[in-house]
Amino acid sequence: MKTFNIELQRIKSMSNSHGLIHARVDATVQAASARDEPGEPSTTVSMSLEDARVFFMLLKAQFAEVDARKARSQR
């Protein structure tokens, strides 16, 4: 498995279709070396607190939109 360090710089938009949430973002992506991370290899996403708040709010809105489309018996 390849691991990466991803720095989220700006969130442009989010949408959902066919059960997937799509996010358009500006980010820098660098391969992470295995010696940098002890234990299991994993990809790290870093973002400012302000971007994290925006990201969270957009995700909440997308989930609300997905839930609104479900039939009443599935809610």
Side-chain angles (χ1 to χ4, degrees):
M1 171 177 31
K2 291 185 178 183
T3 61
F4 299 92
N5 289 325
I6 302 169
E7 182 181 339
L8 190 63
Q9 296 172 335
R10 189 172 79 178
I11 302 163
K12 292 181 174 182
S13 67
M14 290 185 92
S15 63
N16 64 63
S17 64
H18 306 290
L20 295 174
I21 294 177
H22 301 277
R24 291 186 59 216
V25 300
D26 286 340
T28 58
V29 180
Q30 297 175 340
S33 61
R35 65 178 175 254
D36 286 346
E37 300 190 27
E40 272 189 45
S42 61
T43 297
T44 304
V45 177
S46 303
M47 64 186 90
S48 69
L49 182 58
E50 189 175 281
D51 285 341
R53 289 179 194 269
V54 170
F55 190 66
F56 178 72
M57 289 172 58
L58 288 171
L59 277 177
K60 257 177 83 171
Q62 291 303 314
F63 282 125
E65 189 176 316
V66 168
D67 286 343
R69 289 184 186 167
K70 287 183 180 179
R72 204 170 182 176
S73 61
Q74 293 180 346
R75 287 189 211 162

